[in-house]
Amino acid sequence: MSIVKRKIDMPDKIDSHIIATVKCMGNIQEISISDSRNNGATIVPLSKENFVVVSTGEVKQVQHHALDRTENLRNLEKTMRNLSDLINTNITPDNADCCRFITFTYKENMQNPEQLYNDFKNFNKRFKRYMAKLGYHYDYIITVEAQERGAFHLHGIFIFNRKAPFIENKMIADMWGLGFVSVKSIDKNIDNIGKYLTAYLTDLPIDEDTNISSELVGGEVKEITAKGESKKIIKGARLKMLPVGIRIYRYSRGIKKPIVCKLPYGEAIEHISKQGFTKVNEYALEISDVERDFKSKYVKQTFKKHINTN
Protein backbone atom coordinates (compact mmCIF):
# COMPACT_ATOMS: atom_id res chain seq x y z
CA MET A 1 0.00 0.00 0.00
CA SER A 2 1.38 3.39 -1.04
CA ILE A 3 -0.64 6.38 0.18
CA VAL A 4 0.11 9.74 -1.40
CA LYS A 5 -1.07 13.05 0.04
CA ARG A 6 -0.90 16.38 -1.77
CA LYS A 7 -2.27 19.79 -0.91
CA ILE A 8 -4.94 21.13 -3.30
CA ASP A 9 -6.96 24.35 -3.59
CA MET A 10 -9.97 24.74 -1.33
CA PRO A 11 -13.26 24.17 -3.19
CA ASP A 12 -15.11 27.35 -4.16
CA LYS A 13 -18.27 26.02 -2.52
CA ILE A 14 -19.03 23.15 -0.15
CA ASP A 15 -22.35 21.31 -0.48
CA SER A 16 -24.41 22.20 2.59
CA HIS A 17 -25.94 18.70 2.63
CA ILE A 18 -22.67 16.75 2.65
CA ILE A 19 -22.08 14.98 5.97
CA ALA A 20 -19.25 16.55 7.95
CA THR A 21 -17.43 15.47 11.11
CA VAL A 22 -17.42 18.12 13.84
CA LYS A 23 -14.91 17.95 16.70
CA CYS A 24 -15.50 20.19 19.72
CA MET A 25 -12.49 21.00 21.95
CA GLY A 26 -13.04 23.86 24.38
CA ASN A 27 -12.63 27.16 22.54
CA ILE A 28 -11.68 25.32 19.33
CA GLN A 29 -13.93 23.44 16.92
CA GLU A 30 -13.00 21.63 13.70
CA ILE A 31 -15.02 20.56 10.69
CA SER A 32 -13.65 17.86 8.39
CA ILE A 33 -15.13 16.46 5.19
CA SER A 34 -13.95 13.44 3.23
CA ASP A 35 -15.16 12.82 -0.33
CA SER A 36 -14.05 9.18 -0.68
CA ARG A 37 -14.15 7.45 -4.02
CA ASN A 38 -13.18 3.79 -4.27
CA ASN A 39 -13.28 2.82 -7.94
CA GLY A 40 -14.12 -0.83 -7.42
CA ALA A 41 -10.99 -2.24 -5.84
CA THR A 42 -12.69 -3.09 -2.53
CA ILE A 43 -10.67 -5.72 -0.68
CA VAL A 44 -11.75 -8.56 1.58
CA PRO A 45 -9.20 -10.12 3.97
CA LEU A 46 -8.80 -13.88 3.57
CA SER A 47 -6.21 -14.38 6.30
CA LYS A 48 -3.36 -12.53 7.95
CA GLU A 49 -1.33 -13.22 4.84
CA ASN A 50 -3.78 -12.76 1.92
CA PHE A 51 -6.67 -10.60 0.68
CA VAL A 52 -8.87 -10.64 -2.44
CA VAL A 53 -9.67 -7.66 -4.71
CA VAL A 54 -13.45 -7.98 -5.14
CA SER A 55 -13.64 -6.32 -8.57
CA THR A 56 -11.12 -8.70 -10.17
CA GLY A 57 -11.13 -11.77 -7.93
CA GLU A 58 -7.36 -11.47 -7.69
CA VAL A 59 -5.79 -12.81 -4.51
CA LYS A 60 -2.89 -10.76 -3.22
CA GLN A 61 -0.40 -11.21 -0.43
CA VAL A 62 -0.33 -8.80 2.49
CA GLN A 63 2.93 -6.87 2.58
CA HIS A 64 4.26 -6.83 6.14
CA HIS A 65 6.57 -3.95 6.91
CA ALA A 66 8.67 -3.60 10.02
CA LEU A 67 7.81 -0.57 12.10
CA ASP A 68 10.76 1.51 10.96
CA ARG A 69 11.73 4.95 12.23
CA THR A 70 9.69 6.74 9.55
CA GLU A 71 6.51 4.82 10.31
CA ASN A 72 7.13 5.22 14.03
CA LEU A 73 7.47 8.98 13.62
CA ARG A 74 4.21 9.09 11.64
CA ASN A 75 2.40 7.24 14.43
CA LEU A 76 3.97 9.49 17.07
CA GLU A 77 2.86 12.60 15.21
CA LYS A 78 -0.72 11.27 15.12
CA THR A 79 -0.51 10.60 18.85
CA MET A 80 0.66 14.17 19.48
CA ARG A 81 -2.28 15.53 17.47
CA ASN A 82 -4.61 13.50 19.68
CA LEU A 83 -2.80 14.83 22.74
CA SER A 84 -3.23 18.40 21.48
CA ASP A 85 -6.98 17.80 21.06
CA LEU A 86 -7.19 16.41 24.60
CA ILE A 87 -5.37 19.41 26.05
CA ASN A 88 -7.57 21.90 24.18
CA THR A 89 -10.70 20.12 25.41
CA ASN A 90 -9.65 20.56 29.03
CA ILE A 91 -7.69 23.82 29.06
CA THR A 92 -8.93 27.10 27.60
CA PRO A 93 -7.85 30.70 28.25
CA ASP A 94 -10.63 31.10 30.81
CA ASN A 95 -9.37 28.28 33.07
CA ALA A 96 -5.63 28.59 32.41
CA ASP A 97 -5.10 30.12 35.86
CA CYS A 98 -6.39 26.84 37.34
CA CYS A 99 -3.52 24.93 35.72
CA ARG A 100 0.16 24.28 36.34
CA PHE A 101 2.72 22.75 33.98
CA ILE A 102 5.27 20.71 35.95
CA THR A 103 8.42 19.11 34.54
CA PHE A 104 9.98 16.16 36.38
CA THR A 105 13.57 15.16 35.60
CA TYR A 106 16.03 12.53 36.82
CA LYS A 107 19.53 12.93 38.19
CA GLU A 108 20.47 9.72 36.42
CA ASN A 109 20.15 8.88 32.72
CA MET A 110 16.85 7.04 33.26
CA GLN A 111 15.49 5.35 30.10
CA ASN A 112 12.83 2.97 31.42
CA PRO A 113 9.29 4.18 30.51
CA GLU A 114 7.55 1.83 32.95
CA GLN A 115 9.72 3.09 35.81
CA LEU A 116 8.89 6.63 34.70
CA TYR A 117 5.16 6.10 35.09
CA ASN A 118 5.56 4.09 38.31
CA ASP A 119 7.60 6.94 39.79
CA PHE A 120 4.86 9.37 38.81
CA LYS A 121 2.20 7.09 40.33
CA ASN A 122 4.03 7.19 43.66
CA PHE A 123 4.49 10.96 43.43
CA ASN A 124 0.82 11.47 42.57
CA LYS A 125 -0.31 9.65 45.74
CA ARG A 126 1.76 12.01 47.88
CA PHE A 127 0.78 15.12 45.93
CA LYS A 128 -2.93 14.25 45.99
CA ARG A 129 -2.89 13.84 49.79
CA TYR A 130 -1.02 17.13 50.19
CA MET A 131 -3.46 19.08 47.97
CA ALA A 132 -6.51 17.49 49.62
CA LYS A 133 -5.40 18.98 52.94
CA LEU A 134 -5.47 22.40 51.28
CA GLY A 135 -8.95 21.82 49.86
CA TYR A 136 -7.85 21.15 46.27
CA HIS A 137 -8.41 18.30 43.90
CA TYR A 138 -7.08 18.02 40.38
CA ASP A 139 -6.95 16.05 37.16
CA TYR A 140 -3.83 15.59 35.11
CA ILE A 141 -2.38 14.79 31.71
CA ILE A 142 1.19 13.50 31.77
CA THR A 143 3.54 13.06 28.82
CA VAL A 144 7.00 11.61 28.31
CA GLU A 145 9.80 13.53 26.59
CA ALA A 146 13.20 12.22 25.49
CA GLN A 147 16.44 14.13 25.33
CA GLU A 148 19.12 13.48 22.72
CA ARG A 149 21.21 11.52 25.25
CA GLY A 150 18.21 9.18 25.66
CA ALA A 151 17.13 10.29 29.14
CA PHE A 152 13.40 10.61 29.87
CA HIS A 153 11.64 13.57 31.41
CA LEU A 154 8.02 13.70 32.49
CA HIS A 155 5.71 16.67 31.97
CA GLY A 156 2.46 16.99 33.87
CA ILE A 157 -0.43 19.36 33.23
CA PHE A 158 -2.39 19.66 36.47
CA ILE A 159 -5.90 21.12 36.30
CA PHE A 160 -7.19 22.19 39.71
CA ASN A 161 -10.82 22.64 40.78
CA ARG A 162 -10.19 26.36 41.30
CA LYS A 163 -7.42 28.91 40.85
CA ALA A 164 -4.18 26.98 41.23
CA PRO A 165 -2.26 27.49 44.47
CA PHE A 166 1.29 28.78 44.63
CA ILE A 167 3.55 25.74 44.35
CA GLU A 168 7.23 26.00 45.17
CA ASN A 169 9.75 24.14 43.03
CA LYS A 170 11.53 22.92 46.17
CA MET A 171 8.37 21.43 47.66
CA ILE A 172 7.65 19.48 44.44
CA ALA A 173 11.33 18.48 44.11
CA ASP A 174 11.34 17.10 47.66
CA MET A 175 8.13 15.21 46.98
CA TRP A 176 9.47 13.87 43.66
CA GLY A 177 12.87 13.07 45.16
CA LEU A 178 14.52 11.92 41.92
CA GLY A 179 15.86 15.09 40.31
CA PHE A 180 15.16 18.65 39.22
CA VAL A 181 11.58 19.93 38.80
CA SER A 182 10.10 23.07 37.28
CA VAL A 183 6.65 24.50 38.02
CA LYS A 184 5.17 26.95 35.51
CA SER A 185 1.85 28.65 34.95
CA ILE A 186 0.07 28.50 31.58
CA ASP A 187 -0.29 31.74 29.64
CA LYS A 188 -4.00 32.52 29.31
CA ASN A 189 -3.29 34.65 26.22
CA ILE A 190 -2.50 31.52 24.17
CA ASP A 191 -5.69 30.59 22.31
CA ASN A 192 -4.48 27.14 21.14
CA ILE A 193 -2.84 25.78 24.27
CA GLY A 194 -2.75 22.21 22.95
CA LYS A 195 -0.74 23.16 19.89
CA TYR A 196 1.60 25.34 21.96
CA LEU A 197 2.37 22.66 24.56
CA THR A 198 2.75 19.77 22.10
CA ALA A 199 5.16 21.89 20.04
CA TYR A 200 7.15 22.41 23.24
CA LEU A 201 7.26 18.63 23.74
CA THR A 202 8.34 17.78 20.18
CA ASP A 203 10.53 20.59 18.84
CA LEU A 204 14.20 20.60 19.87
CA PRO A 205 15.80 24.02 20.53
CA ILE A 206 19.23 24.49 18.97
CA ASP A 207 21.51 26.03 21.57
CA GLU A 208 25.17 26.85 21.16
CA ASP A 209 26.16 24.05 23.53
CA THR A 210 23.74 21.48 22.09
CA ASN A 211 25.35 18.50 20.39
CA ILE A 212 23.01 17.98 17.43
CA SER A 213 23.35 14.64 15.63
CA SER A 214 23.25 14.44 11.83
CA GLU A 215 19.99 12.47 12.06
CA LEU A 216 18.23 15.30 13.89
CA VAL A 217 19.64 17.96 11.59
CA GLY A 218 17.74 16.16 8.83
CA GLY A 219 14.54 17.63 10.28
CA GLU A 220 13.01 20.97 9.38
CA VAL A 221 14.90 23.84 11.01
CA LYS A 222 12.88 26.96 11.84
CA GLU A 223 13.67 30.23 13.53
CA ILE A 224 11.07 31.39 16.01
CA THR A 225 10.65 34.30 18.41
CA ALA A 226 9.85 33.53 22.03
CA LYS A 227 9.52 36.24 24.67
CA GLY A 228 11.29 38.72 22.41
CA GLU A 229 14.26 36.44 21.69
CA SER A 230 14.95 34.61 18.44
CA LYS A 231 16.06 30.99 18.47
CA LYS A 232 16.25 28.04 16.11
CA ILE A 233 14.39 24.77 16.56
CA ILE A 234 14.23 21.43 14.76
CA LYS A 235 10.58 20.54 14.14
CA GLY A 236 9.55 17.21 15.66
CA ALA A 237 13.11 16.26 16.60
CA ARG A 238 12.25 15.06 20.10
CA LEU A 239 9.75 12.57 18.66
CA LYS A 240 12.58 10.90 16.74
CA MET A 241 14.31 10.12 20.03
CA LEU A 242 11.40 8.16 21.50
CA PRO A 243 11.52 4.35 21.23
CA VAL A 244 9.01 2.41 19.13
CA GLY A 245 5.83 1.44 20.99
CA ILE A 246 6.19 3.81 23.92
CA ARG A 247 3.01 5.18 25.49
CA ILE A 248 3.38 8.93 25.03
CA TYR A 249 0.74 10.19 27.46
CA ARG A 250 -1.68 9.17 30.17
CA TYR A 251 -4.43 11.04 31.99
CA SER A 252 -6.70 10.85 35.03
CA ARG A 253 -10.34 9.77 34.96
CA GLY A 254 -11.77 13.27 35.15
CA ILE A 255 -10.16 14.43 31.89
CA LYS A 256 -12.77 15.20 29.24
CA LYS A 257 -12.54 13.80 25.70
CA PRO A 258 -13.25 15.83 22.55
CA ILE A 259 -16.91 15.63 21.48
CA VAL A 260 -17.22 14.28 17.93
CA CYS A 261 -20.45 14.19 15.93
CA LYS A 262 -21.59 14.00 12.31
CA LEU A 263 -24.15 16.31 10.70
CA PRO A 264 -24.75 18.14 7.39
CA TYR A 265 -22.09 20.76 6.66
CA GLY A 266 -24.63 23.60 6.49
CA GLU A 267 -26.01 22.74 9.92
CA ALA A 268 -22.49 22.47 11.34
CA ILE A 269 -21.55 25.94 10.07
CA GLU A 270 -24.77 27.45 11.42
CA HIS A 271 -24.34 25.82 14.82
CA ILE A 272 -20.70 26.91 15.14
CA SER A 273 -21.48 30.48 14.05
CA LYS A 274 -24.31 30.82 16.59
CA GLN A 275 -21.86 29.87 19.34
CA GLY A 276 -19.57 32.78 18.41
CA PHE A 277 -16.80 30.81 16.71
CA THR A 278 -14.80 32.34 13.85
CA LYS A 279 -12.94 30.44 11.12
CA VAL A 280 -9.17 30.87 11.49
CA ASN A 281 -7.72 28.23 9.16
CA GLU A 282 -8.64 25.79 6.39
CA TYR A 283 -6.91 23.48 3.93
CA ALA A 284 -7.69 20.72 1.44
CA LEU A 285 -5.80 17.51 0.58
CA GLU A 286 -6.07 14.81 -2.05
CA ILE A 287 -5.29 11.35 -0.68
CA SER A 288 -4.73 8.47 -3.10
CA ASP A 289 -3.70 4.82 -3.01
CA VAL A 290 -2.88 3.55 -6.51
CA GLU A 291 -2.72 -0.12 -5.48
CA ARG A 292 -6.28 -0.08 -4.14
CA ASP A 293 -7.56 2.37 -6.77
CA PHE A 294 -8.62 4.71 -3.99
CA LYS A 295 -8.89 8.50 -4.07
CA SER A 296 -10.31 10.94 -1.57
CA LYS A 297 -10.51 14.69 -1.14
CA TYR A 298 -10.24 15.90 2.44
CA VAL A 299 -11.16 19.35 3.73
CA LYS A 300 -10.50 20.64 7.24
CA GLN A 301 -11.62 23.95 8.76
CA THR A 302 -10.66 25.25 12.21
CA PHE A 303 -12.77 27.70 14.23
CA LYS A 304 -11.92 29.53 17.45
CA LYS A 305 -13.95 31.38 20.01
CA HIS A 306 -12.33 34.38 21.63
CA ILE A 307 -12.64 34.23 25.39
CA ASN A 308 -12.30 37.42 27.40
CA THR A 309 -9.70 36.67 30.06
CA ASN A 310 -9.70 40.11 31.67
Side-chain angles (χ1 to χ4, degrees):
M1 181 172 63
S2 178
I3 297 176
V4 177
K5 298 180 182 180
R6 69 180 185 92
K7 196 169 183 178
I8 58 176
D9 293 334
M10 281 289 298
D12 295 330
K13 185 178 180 181
I14 298 177
D15 182 358
S16 62
H17 299 289
I18 193 169
I19 298 300
T21 300
V22 181
K23 185 185 294 183
C24 304
M25 304 164 289
N27 68 313
I28 297 175
Q29 295 197 24
E30 292 178 349
I31 293 179
S32 58
I33 301 167
S34 179
D35 178 21
S36 300
R37 298 192 304 279
N38 190 316
N39 299 322
T42 304
I43 67 168
V44 175
L46 298 177
S47 67
K48 292 182 178 180
E49 302 298 330
N50 298 286
F51 64 90
V52 61
V53 180
V54 174
S55 61
T56 65
E58 183 181 7
V59 176
K60 292 190 175 184
Q61 187 174 13
V62 176
Q63 299 296 317
H64 296 288
H65 301 285
L67 190 64
D68 60 16
R69 202 168 185 81
T70 301
E71 186 177 350
N72 183 45
L73 180 58
R74 190 183 302 118
N75 292 339
L76 289 172
E77 288 172 342
K78 181 179 179 180
T79 297
M80 297 308 286
R81 287 195 298 271
N82 292 338
L83 173 60
S84 177
D85 292 346
L86 195 68
I87 292 172
N88 281 330
T89 302
N90 290 273
I91 306 176
T92 61
D94 65 343
N95 78 334
D97 61 354
C98 298
C99 306
R100 289 293 180 266
F101 185 73
I102 305 179
T103 299
F104 304 85
T105 71
Y106 285 84
K107 296 176 183 177
E108 307 298 330
N109 187 357
M110 208 287 292
Q111 299 184 35
N112 185 328
E114 286 306 312
Q115 180 184 337
L116 183 73
Y117 284 119
N118 284 333
D119 289 339
F120 174 78
K121 184 178 179 179
N122 292 330
F123 163 83
N124 187 50
K125 290 178 181 178
R126 296 189 290 270
F127 191 48
K128 187 177 292 185
R129 286 196 297 267
Y130 175 81
M131 283 297 160
K133 292 178 181 178
L134 300 179
Y136 288 92
H137 67 261
Y138 60 83
D139 282 291
Y140 63 80
I141 302 171
I142 55 171
T143 68
V144 59
E145 175 205 334
Q147 293 184 310
E148 188 177 8
R149 64 175 179 147
F152 287 152
H153 286 179
L154 192 68
H155 299 281
I157 303 170
F158 294 81
I159 308 168
F160 294 90
N161 56 314
R162 51 194 170 95
K163 186 174 180 179
F166 174 73
I167 304 174
E168 290 185 285
N169 282 351
K170 185 179 185 307
M171 185 273 288
I172 295 293
D174 291 343
M175 198 174 292
W176 173 244
L178 298 169
F180 172 79
V181 303
S182 172
V183 181
K184 295 182 179 179
S185 58
I186 294 178
D187 190 347
K188 64 182 180 181
N189 294 313
I190 301 171
D191 60 0
N192 191 327
I193 293 171
K195 184 176 180 180
Y196 174 82
L197 291 180
T198 51
Y200 174 85
L201 296 172
T202 60
D203 299 335
L204 183 71
I206 305 176
D207 299 321
E208 291 182 2
D209 57 349
T210 301
N211 180 22
I212 301 298
S213 67
S214 59
E215 185 176 26
L216 292 181
V217 172
E220 180 186 3
V221 178
K222 282 192 172 184
E223 186 166 340
I224 63 172
T225 301
K227 296 182 178 180
E229 296 182 1
S230 295
K231 63 178 181 179
K232 290 183 178 180
I233 60 170
I234 303 176
K235 297 292 291 181
R238 283 176 171 149
L239 288 182
K240 297 179 182 179
M241 295 179 282
L242 290 169
V244 173
I246 190 171
R247 188 172 176 181
I248 299 291
Y249 64 90
R250 301 185 185 189
Y251 50 87
S252 58
R253 292 182 180 179
I255 291 296
K256 296 175 289 185
K257 308 284 184 61
I259 298 174
V260 180
C261 62
K262 293 183 181 292
L263 67 163
Y265 176 75
E267 292 183 21
I269 289 293
E270 182 179 3
H271 180 67
I272 287 176
S273 298
K274 284 182 178 179
Q275 294 181 77
F277 285 79
T278 304
K279 183 168 64 179
V280 294
N281 187 40
E282 62 181 3
Y283 65 87
L285 296 174
E286 183 181 79
I287 305 171
S288 59
D289 182 348
V290 176
E291 181 180 336
R292 299 190 179 187
D293 199 15
F294 173 85
K295 184 175 288 187
S296 175
K297 290 182 179 178
Y298 176 83
V299 172
K300 182 176 179 180
Q301 298 176 322
T302 302
F303 302 79
K304 291 181 184 177
K305 184 176 184 180
H306 175 72
I307 298 176
N308 187 359
T309 57
N310 294 329

